[in-house]
Amino acid sequence: MTTTATGSGRVSLGDRTVHRLGYGGMKLTGPRVTGPPADRDAALAVLSRAVELGVDHLDTSGLYGPHVVNDLIREALHPYPEELVIVTRVGARRTPEGGWEEALTADELRRSVEEDLEHLGLDALHVANLRMPGLGEPEDERSLAEPLEALAQLQQEGLVRQLGVSHITSRQVAEARGIAPLACVQNHYNLIHRTDDRLVEELARDGVAYVALEGISYTSFFPVGEMSPAQSAVLQTVAQRVGASPMQVAIAWLLGRSPNVLVIPGATSVAELEELLAAGGVTLGPADTEELDRIVTMGGPPAGGVPAWGGGGQGGPPPWLRDGQAGPPPR
């Protein structure tokens, strides 16, 4: 199994082309996505190794730390390789208590972009994603015209090269595309969260990248704890058959779902990073894919859906993350 990002293929991300397996940096912080990582040297090693293994798409945000991950990226990789695309997310702010609040006014967005530029050491952000509130339960009736137009103004000024949107619905995607061309859409999507099936296909026809967000930057790659025993058994059976881990199979399924899907798993060690990138070399046959597609019909995600805190909601992080644990408790 090839342990590089190159086995995942390539896709257009705005005016650039990147490997479909990238890296999401949210895990490179302390508990509750606040403060520095427990092992700074390990975090720097992960970032350096990711680029060595062909990762040319890094996902980050000034929200992480705040500014911790951006500073780590700069320390590990600046001056940046020419082919590296750094994607950031704006539209929220962190509270002193570690909460997430929306920050969608023109002034707030400008401040976020300028802070990201300073901490990353860039003259212009490669891609700036407008992060709307409501991950998992997006606020469908809310217009994103005003904040996206503010970002488009920053693009005209040369502070941002490409625009994207995150945590939004199909209706909001259509609204956004009426305002400005999109490099990508970032949304919650995996084997058991498939609300965006039709949207993924629509964007693929138009050559717009879809970045699958589903907890990969927050905890581990795939929310195995959200699966029922029957769903987990199906995933484990396929994994054993193809000689891969369940996480690798979950990534391989995403890569096989549509050619415009990008995946940005997070890792806090080089070993974990290499395992996840090896998913690009996992081959799923038609029978494997058909079996995995059955998972969504076997009960779906648990009650309550995905954590509202990830989308800037009022709830705060789940207890297992709030307490600084590595992952959710066993079900």
Side-chain angles (χ1 to χ4, degrees):
M1 192 180 298
T2 303
T3 309
T4 71
T6 59
S8 62
R10 300 186 69 84
V11 67
S12 294
L13 182 59
D15 60 354
R16 303 284 290 274
T17 301
V18 299
H19 291 116
R20 295 175 63 204
L21 266 175
Y23 176 77
M26 191 177 188
K27 290 178 70 176
L28 299 181
T29 63
R32 298 186 63 187
V33 201
T34 301
D39 189 335
R40 184 180 184 85
D41 289 341
L44 294 171
V46 167
L47 291 166
S48 297
R49 185 59 172 156
V51 172
E52 289 175 359
L53 293 175
V55 169
D56 49 13
H57 168 209
L58 294 181
D59 184 84
T60 184
S61 175
L63 296 166
Y64 305 159
H67 306 302
V68 166
V69 175
N70 285 351
D71 290 342
L72 289 168
I73 289 172
R74 182 173 184 172
E75 182 176 346
L77 302 172
H78 195 277
Y80 301 115
E82 184 177 351
E83 68 275 9
L84 183 65
V85 176
I86 300 178
V87 178
T88 189
R89 193 174 300 120
V90 296
R93 61 173 171 265
R94 300 299 300 276
T95 68
E97 299 75 29
W100 308 67
E101 293 182 350
E102 67 177 69
L104 295 170
T105 69
D107 287 345
E108 289 170 325
L109 291 168
R110 179 178 292 275
R111 187 178 308 114
S112 293
V113 166
E114 290 175 346
E115 288 177 349
D116 281 352
L117 291 172
E118 177 183 357
H119 285 271
L120 288 166
L122 291 170
D123 296 324
L125 298 180
H126 298 145
V127 182
N129 285 312
L130 176 64
R131 176 191 186 278
M132 294 297 289
L135 176 60
E137 296 181 0
E139 298 179 9
D140 190 28
E141 299 306 316
R142 183 168 181 174
S143 171
L144 50 66
E146 186 172 342
L148 189 60
E149 287 168 357
L151 275 185
Q153 175 61 40
L154 298 177
Q155 183 183 36
Q156 292 176 10
E157 295 176 21
L159 298 180
V160 174
R161 293 177 185 166
Q162 302 285 313
L163 302 177
V165 287
S166 182
H167 303 176
I168 66 173
T169 64
S170 296
R171 186 201 63 76
Q172 289 171 316
V173 170
E175 181 185 23
R177 296 183 70 189
I179 296 169
L182 296 181
C184 61
V185 172
Q186 292 187 329
N187 260 5
H188 187 83
Y189 189 71
N190 58 36
L191 278 168
I192 57 175
H193 296 94
R194 295 186 56 177
T195 304
D196 277 357
D197 268 340
R198 183 174 298 178
L199 176 60
V200 169
E201 294 162 4
E202 290 174 356
L203 294 174
R205 287 195 296 269
D206 294 338
V208 178
Y210 183 100
V211 184
L213 295 175
E214 45 65 46
I216 49 186
S217 296
Y218 310 141
T219 55
S220 60
F221 169 73
F222 188 71
V224 176
E226 295 185 10
M227 300 179 72
S228 69
Q231 291 171 320
S232 297
V234 171
L235 180 59
Q236 185 64 45
T237 296
V238 174
Q240 291 176 345
R241 187 161 61 228
V242 302
S245 72
M247 285 186 185
Q248 289 171 334
V249 169
I251 295 174
W253 178 87
L254 280 169
L255 294 173
R257 177 64 184 84
S258 179
N260 67 321
V261 171
L262 283 76
V263 189
I264 48 171
T268 57
S269 70
V270 168
E272 182 185 11
L273 171 74
E274 292 179 348
E275 177 189 358
L276 296 175
L277 292 184
V282 174
T283 300
L284 299 176
D288 300 319
T289 301
E290 183 177 354
E291 200 164 342
L292 293 170
D293 282 339
R294 284 198 305 112
I295 287 177
V296 75
T297 70
M298 300 169 64
V306 297
W309 63 274
Q314 301 297 316
W320 52 265
L321 186 58
R322 186 168 59 242
D323 297 337
Q325 299 175 31
R331 282 179 170 252

